[in-house]
């Protein structure tokens, strides 16, 4: 059964052995409003290209798992109102029924080993939700099973960050602070929580990743990058908005896949879009850092 379909640009990059950076699409379909999401998708691809790497935006279009999306396909995903959010378990339904959707961090990670890509940029990973013992993002088990470098600004701040970090430790995922000793809190640069190792250059990150996989551990290496100083939120401002958004989610009985998109958009409204600005700017920064790492690490042999 042939399920993957490559863009011309990604096929060429593979044949010329150019470094490739995977990008997810749930941030487009569920994370950001139109038309900002479309602009962001194009800007992230541009950032990757400017660093001399090739972007592979991954998503599902009409049941085809696309490794690299054409401009019109990205636009379709960005405009769609009722579209799937595809985590690991959701591919099967989408493929069998010929549906479309944005792939989450877990979904995108699932595809990477099949297509030989090992560097991936996103905004913030999912994690353990606050006060909800059984709401743990599928991003965490996926990180424990896929050998890739995942570049992010930590886990989304709406989550229980200490619990998320404990989970990453249990699942043997190194947390590499990129020019930082602290786990960033997505919108904010600090959280007071430690990383497991620090790296100050792309070369150092690549060295850590190679050593990790050489030890035979097949998990991801999580590279955490603080959001750009000029757009980051102060921790107190962020926490106040998050508390209110969480209370509303509970009152409205928001559950399952809808929790994360609801909280992100409420926090954006409550902070007068300051969190949205931080979100966009950290996504671009992560794409740049990922491209630098891909340059050094290359694709999977
Ligand atoms: N980063 C963003 N915005 C997003 C996401 C990440 O800046 O919307 C998405 C990612 O795709 C992540 C998903 O995998 O949210 C997590 O959803 P859940 O908590 O339901 O697993
Ligand atoms: Mn969940």
């Amino acid at each position: 059964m042939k399920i993957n379909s490559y863009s011309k640009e990604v096929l060429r990059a593979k044949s010329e052995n150019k470094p490739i950076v995977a990008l997810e699409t749930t941030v487009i379909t569920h994370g950001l409003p139109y038309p900002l999401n479309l602009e962001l998708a194009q800007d992230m691809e541009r950032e990757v290209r400017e660093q001399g790497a090739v972007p592979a935006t991954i998503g599902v279009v009409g049941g085809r798992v696309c490794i690299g999306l054409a401009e019109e396909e990205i636009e379709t995903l960005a405009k769609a109102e009722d579209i799937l959010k595809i985590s690991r378990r959701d591919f099967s339904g989408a493929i069998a029924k010929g549906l479309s959707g944005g792939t989450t961090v877990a979904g995108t990670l699932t595809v990477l080993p099949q297509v030989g890509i090992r560097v991936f940029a996103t905004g913030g990973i999912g994690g353990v939700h606050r006060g909800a013992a059984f709401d743990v993002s599928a991003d965490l088990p996926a990180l424990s099973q896929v050998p890739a470098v995942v570049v992010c600004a930590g886990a989304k701040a709406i989550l229980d960050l200490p619990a998320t970090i404990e989970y990453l430790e249990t699942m043997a995922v190194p947390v590499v602070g990129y020019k930082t000793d602290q786990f960033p809190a997505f919108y904010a640069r600090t959280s007071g929580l430690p990383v497991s190792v620090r790296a100050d250059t792309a070369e150092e990150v690549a060295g850590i990743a190679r050593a990790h996989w050489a030890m035979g551990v097949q998990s991801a290496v999580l590279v955490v990058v603080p959001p750009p100083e000029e757009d980051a939120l102060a921790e107190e401002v962020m926490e106040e908005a998050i508390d209110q958004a969480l209370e509303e989610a509970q009152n409205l009985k928001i559950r399952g896949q809808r929790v994360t998109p609801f909280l992100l958009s409420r926090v954006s409204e409550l902070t007068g879009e300051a969190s949205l600005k931080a979100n966009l700017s950290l996504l671009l920064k992560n794409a740049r850092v990922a491209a630098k790492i891909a340059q050094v690490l290359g694709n999977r042999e």
Side-chain angles (χ1 to χ4, degrees):
M1 184 162 150
K2 184 181 171 296
I3 43 181
N4 291 331
S5 122
Y6 290 90
S7 70
K8 286 201 191 97
E9 188 185 15
V10 172
L11 267 186
R12 195 173 334 116
K14 282 177 79 72
S15 72
E16 293 172 1
N17 208 17
K18 273 197 173 170
I20 303 175
V21 173
L23 302 170
E24 56 131 327
T25 39
T26 291
V27 65
I28 304 173
T29 55
H30 293 76
L32 299 167
Y34 180 81
L36 273 181
N37 56 354
L38 177 59
E39 256 170 66
L40 180 274
Q42 292 163 342
D43 290 349
M44 281 186 87
E45 291 199 339
R46 201 197 50 236
E47 293 286 349
V48 171
R49 290 191 190 101
E50 277 176 10
Q51 299 296 327
V54 174
T57 302
I58 293 179
V60 181
V61 179
R64 282 180 306 122
V65 180
C66 298
I67 322 304
L69 289 164
E71 255 178 72
E72 320 81 68
E73 291 172 325
I74 294 189
E75 201 168 329
T76 307
L77 292 185
K79 281 186 177 158
E81 302 235 322
D82 223 347
I83 189 160
L84 295 175
K85 171 171 163 181
I86 302 184
S87 186
R88 295 200 116 183
R89 69 165 182 185
D90 306 303
F91 280 107
S92 46
I95 293 167
K97 291 174 187 264
L99 301 175
S100 303
T103 50
T104 65
V105 169
T108 308
L109 276 172
T110 306
V111 180
L112 299 190
Q114 309 161 23
V115 300
I117 300 176
R118 57 180 176 185
V119 180
F120 169 22
T122 181
I125 59 163
V128 181
H129 282 265
R130 298 189 195 182
F134 287 101
D135 192 356
V136 177
S137 172
D139 291 358
L140 293 183
L143 285 164
S144 76
Q145 290 163 13
V146 178
V149 172
V150 179
V151 181
C152 64
K156 272 166 291 211
I158 53 170
L159 301 164
D160 183 335
L161 295 186
T164 301
I165 285 182
E166 292 295 342
Y167 195 113
L168 291 167
E169 182 185 346
T170 304
M171 292 301 187
V173 177
V175 178
V176 182
Y178 189 74
K179 301 186 189 192
T180 183
D181 296 308
Q182 272 194 52
F183 192 78
F186 193 57
Y187 306 122
R189 290 173 62 84
T190 52
S191 65
L193 299 163
V195 296
S196 66
V197 56
R198 176 184 172 126
D200 286 278
T201 61
E203 285 75 14
E204 264 190 89
V205 173
I208 290 167
R210 285 199 192 100
H212 184 62
W213 297 325
M215 286 301 295
V217 189
Q218 292 299 302
S219 52
V221 171
L222 191 70
V223 176
V224 296
V225 184
E229 197 138 27
E230 58 281 14
D231 296 320
L233 263 59
E235 266 185 78
E236 318 77 66
V237 174
M238 179 185 83
E239 278 305 324
E240 202 176 308
I242 290 172
D243 283 344
Q244 186 174 333
L246 283 168
E247 199 182 310
E248 290 177 16
Q250 204 165 28
N251 293 340
L252 294 167
K253 299 198 168 35
I254 308 277
R255 305 226 204 286
Q257 287 195 322
R258 290 174 56 221
V259 173
T260 300
F262 174 84
L263 293 174
L264 291 179
S265 81
R266 275 307 282 148
V267 169
S268 163
E269 285 162 12
L270 292 167
T271 57
E273 299 196 345
S275 73
L276 184 61
K277 195 164 174 226
N279 198 347
L280 292 169
S281 102
L282 69 86
L283 279 158
L284 296 182
K285 184 176 178 190
N286 295 348
R288 270 196 304 280
V289 172
K292 285 185 194 154
I293 296 168
Q295 285 278 11
V296 186
L297 197 59
N299 303 327
R300 196 183 309 277
E301 299 77 45

